[in-house]
Amino acid sequence: MFLHLLTIETRKLFKNPILWADLGILTIIFAAYFTVRYAIIAEAVRNGLGNTRGLELDLQVGLGLFGNFSVLFYAATAAIISADDYPDRSIQMWLTRGAPRALLLLTRVVIILVIGLFLTIFIIGMILALAMLMRTAFLGGFTAQNLNWVQLLPATLRIFAASIPYLALTVLLGVVSRSPLFAAGGTLVFATVVEKLLEGWSDNYPALIQFIPSHLSQLLLFNNYAIDRTARPMILGGAYLHESQVFITIGFFLLVFSALSLVIFSRQDLGG
Amino acid sequence: MTNIILETKDLTKTYGKSKAVDAVNITAYEGEVFGFLGPNGAGKTTTLGMALGLVHPTTGEVSVLGERVTPNHTHALKQVGALLGAPAFVPYLSAWDNIELVSRLTPGVDKKRINEVIDLVGLTDSAKRKVGKFSTGMKQRVGLAMALVHRPRFVILDEPTNGLDPAGMREIRQLLRTLAENGTSVLLSSHLLNEVQQVCDRIAVLNRGRVVAQGRVEDLLNGQKPSVRLTVPDTGTAVRAFESLSGVENIQASGNTLIVTGVTSQTVMNHLLEHHIIPTEITAQKSDLESLFMDLTTTN
């Protein structure tokens, strides 16, 4: 049954026009950004100015740009998977055919994690591809000698892991609200308002505040400096969580939010 | 002995202080077409929702194919096909894709069977179109196909002819009879009493959350009280006249028309003449499901 549900959910997702619209919009934003960026760099180079470093910088700049709206992007994707079939009652298609609720939710969490990882890979691939294309178009070629390809895998995993608390929160909000819009919007409000308010307490409770998802994300992404061979390790002041502790905390968020989602989902009346 | 396909025991669902379903006991047997009737808001869809594991009963229990069903125990539903209210489907997928996705929950359903069921419900020419753009009747056909594709032992259909034209309704009636003849048990919930009378072996009538009648259609009709429809110039005078007539159980007035229950047309005629009231029209009501339904579900 799990594999059947996995196939069903995957097929639904890949045929969902909202997913492709999301990816299309993201590609357009990056293409526009890199076009402007390299037009400016090319002009600077013609004037004997400008930094013509290679893909390692492009990747860091691209990931920095993605960081501005990554929560929205991940939350929108998770909301589609976890709550899209509440408003039109298509969730009944599976439940009235004997699909166990716990298994359906587990399938969705698994799909969200797999798709989250896939999308992270897509983002990194797209940034690199656009950077190569634009550098060739505007500067006549590109260099990748300072890009540490080996570090790309752990960097990808860190970016993905940083998104997990938000993905799991979106699932919970999707189940509670039965609305993909509320699920994505609620996660966005959490990231942009609630977390900022919590960060305001960081002076009083520094040890506690480092466990909130935005701080976990920062702690993980500090280590992505290593994709640039020339970069030196960043030294963080104060006592911070070790990377392994960050991963455990993220796992804890995933577990708690998923368990809460399951409790609520299994108690819901879904007849109307 | 015939197997029980659906059984509810004191099934109750409460929302706040209101009882949507109140100690409902119904039994449907294998191989029959069981009608489930009731006015809007009677609790039919909530009862079916509980049978299909979508709604938690407040008290009582429901068993399908001999196995208890709750939202967290739905194993028996693998052998059930259902169309509950307006059909649920993934709107951005085609009819074929929707049916194919649902069929994946049952091993052994192949493309041939999917095409077969698409032909059966008359969707052959539209199978590749997105369901979101379908008319109500076509969506209903998709819902039916999804309910039948895995050859279920038991089919629960809530208003399956909604949005269908008369020819479509006839096709569905025929389909239900064919299903029953082939051993599939059917529970049909419908507002169309004529449709139910033509198709169903047994019925249960629900009113305000309670079962007010259950049994074979003929038995229920035979037990129905006689009723007379008459048109009189002054209904007030006529109603006062009937107050002194023994046997009258109910009088419904609408304009110049009265429906008097509990007495024969001969008795009504004699009584009116005794009171010097001349009806312009008088008809003995035929014993049918509609009048039975009205008797059971309307109050004075």
Side-chain angles (χ1 to χ4, degrees):
Chain A
M1 180 64 93
F2 176 70
L3 286 178
H4 293 309
L5 286 172
L6 209 60
T7 315
I8 289 169
E9 291 295 324
T10 310
R11 286 199 50 192
K12 265 173 60 191
L13 178 66
F14 281 105
K15 292 212 170 188
N16 193 326
I18 298 174
L19 174 73
W20 299 109
D22 264 5
L23 293 175
I25 290 168
L26 207 64
T27 309
I28 289 168
I29 289 172
F30 275 96
Y33 176 77
F34 277 117
T35 305
V36 173
R37 175 178 158 79
Y38 287 108
I40 293 168
I41 290 176
E43 183 62 26
V45 169
R46 272 196 293 276
N47 296 330
L49 301 167
N51 186 348
T52 56
R53 286 172 61 201
L55 293 182
E56 75 287 351
L57 180 66
D58 300 329
L59 186 56
Q60 284 174 334
V61 168
L63 289 176
L65 174 67
F66 178 58
N68 293 324
F69 48 83
S70 60
V71 171
L72 175 63
F73 178 68
Y74 284 119
T77 310
I80 293 169
I81 299 167
S82 64
D84 198 31
D85 56 1
Y86 275 104
D88 60 21
R89 298 184 303 112
S90 56
I91 195 165
Q92 292 181 356
M93 287 166 67
W94 330 117
L95 298 180
T96 60
R97 293 288 296 277
R101 291 191 184 199
L103 204 59
L104 183 61
L105 187 73
L106 174 71
T107 309
R108 290 181 173 185
V109 171
V110 168
I111 292 267
I112 285 168
L113 293 178
V114 172
I115 292 298
L117 181 59
F118 165 79
L119 292 177
T120 309
I121 295 167
F122 170 82
I123 297 293
I124 290 174
M126 182 186 64
I127 291 171
L128 287 175
L130 280 172
M132 288 178 202
L133 197 74
M134 296 297 175
R135 273 187 180 270
T136 306
F138 284 97
L139 302 172
F142 62 86
T143 169
Q145 62 183 21
N146 289 331
L147 181 64
N148 189 342
W149 294 96
V150 178
Q151 280 298 321
L152 270 185
L153 179 63
T156 305
L157 291 178
R158 285 190 201 103
I159 295 166
F160 164 61
S163 74
I164 289 176
Y166 299 106
L167 292 172
L169 176 64
T170 309
V171 174
L172 175 61
L173 293 176
V175 170
V176 171
S177 68
R178 309 179 184 200
S179 155
L181 208 62
F182 188 92
T187 303
L188 198 62
V189 168
F190 174 78
T192 55
V193 180
V194 179
E195 283 196 304
K196 295 290 178 263
L197 288 174
L198 289 173
E199 281 169 8
W201 295 351
S202 59
D203 291 342
N204 300 330
Y205 308 101
L208 210 61
I209 294 305
Q210 62 181 331
F211 287 98
I212 67 172
S214 62
H215 271 230
L216 296 172
S217 169
Q218 282 172 24
L219 289 172
L220 277 180
L221 299 183
F222 274 136
N223 290 326
N224 277 358
Y225 72 88
I227 55 176
D228 181 354
R229 286 182 203 278
T230 62
R232 294 285 161 264
M234 296 177 95
I235 307 296
L236 296 172
Y240 282 96
L241 294 175
H242 185 264
E243 194 168 50
S244 61
Q245 293 172 309
V246 173
F247 278 114
I248 290 168
T249 311
I250 285 171
F252 177 76
F253 270 115
L254 176 64
L255 209 65
V256 169
F257 286 151
S258 301
L260 281 173
S261 305
L262 178 61
V263 169
I264 294 164
F265 186 41
S266 59
R267 288 165 178 240
Q268 280 177 331
D269 283 337
L270 297 167
Chain B
M1 187 181 163
T2 316
N3 291 325
I4 293 173
I5 205 102
L6 171 80
E7 186 174 32
T8 68
K9 287 181 183 165
D10 294 326
L11 193 64
T12 302
K13 180 66 187 178
T14 308
Y15 293 107
K17 287 180 180 173
S18 135
K19 274 188 176 174
V21 175
D22 187 4
V24 162
N25 291 293
I26 55 172
T27 310
Y29 297 97
E30 189 151 26
E32 73 178 4
V33 182
F34 186 83
F36 198 39
L37 305 177
N40 286 339
K44 299 188 302 291
T45 303
T46 306
T47 305
L48 297 182
M50 288 188 273
L52 290 167
L54 296 172
V55 177
H56 291 265
T58 307
T59 57
E61 60 182 70
V62 55
S63 302
V64 174
L65 301 164
E67 207 176 310
R68 192 172 172 190
V69 171
T70 70
N72 296 309
H73 186 265
T74 55
H75 182 263
L77 300 180
K78 289 182 171 65
Q79 298 179 74
V80 176
L83 171 57
L84 190 65
F89 47 75
V90 184
Y92 51 80
L93 296 182
S94 70
W96 204 96
D97 283 341
N98 268 284
I99 298 163
E100 196 266 341
L101 275 193
V102 161
S103 76
R104 282 176 178 268
L105 291 172
T106 312
V109 179
D110 54 16
K111 287 183 179 178
K112 186 173 165 239
R113 172 62 185 163
I114 296 169
N115 290 328
E116 194 178 288
V117 84
I118 281 173
D119 289 344
L120 185 73
V121 299
L123 276 176
T124 314
D125 297 332
S126 318
K128 297 291 179 188
R129 281 174 50 203
K130 283 184 184 168
V131 180
K133 293 175 180 168
F134 277 13
S135 67
T136 310
M138 284 169 77
K139 285 174 182 170
Q140 210 68 14
R141 288 170 190 269
V142 178
L144 269 171
M146 290 196 289
L148 300 175
V149 69
H150 57 305
R151 296 188 177 88
R153 274 179 67 193
F154 180 33
V155 183
I156 295 178
L157 302 173
D158 186 14
E159 304 291 351
T161 54
N162 256 2
L164 295 179
D165 56 23
M169 287 182 182
R170 198 172 57 226
E171 280 173 43
I172 300 303
R173 275 200 299 271
Q174 184 55 45
L175 176 64
L176 296 181
R177 286 274 32 133
T178 309
L179 284 172
E181 280 160 21
N182 293 335
T184 307
S185 312
V186 180
L187 186 150
L188 170 66
S189 168
S190 176
H191 289 104
L192 301 175
L193 302 172
N194 183 42
E195 177 178 285
V196 171
Q197 190 168 1
Q198 287 182 55
V199 174
C200 295
D201 305 303
R202 293 172 64 252
I203 60 165
V205 182
L206 208 62
N207 189 35
R208 295 180 182 175
R210 298 189 72 96
V211 174
V212 289
Q214 184 170 194
R216 295 190 63 79
V217 177
E218 307 91 88
D219 296 345
L220 291 172
L221 292 178
N222 289 338
Q224 199 183 359
K225 298 278 189 321
S227 70
V228 181
R229 175 190 287 265
L230 61 149
T231 309
V232 288
D234 178 2
T235 48
T237 311
V239 168
R240 279 193 296 279
F242 283 124
E243 282 169 359
S244 61
L245 179 62
S246 66
V248 172
E249 292 187 356
N250 186 28
I251 304 170
Q252 291 173 46
S254 171
N256 283 344
T257 302
L258 290 176
I259 297 174
V260 184
T261 311
V263 285
T264 63
S265 55
Q266 186 65 54
T267 309
V268 166
M269 195 63 197
N270 291 340
H271 192 72
L272 287 174
L273 292 174
E274 279 172 20
H275 286 79
H276 310 291
I277 300 169
I278 311 294
T280 51
E281 191 182 345
I282 182 161
T283 325
Q285 291 276 85
K286 194 182 164 195
S287 192
D288 63 7
L289 203 50
E290 186 175 341
S291 47
L292 173 68
F293 181 83
M294 295 306 288
D295 282 352
L296 291 168
T297 60
T298 55
T299 53
N300 291 339

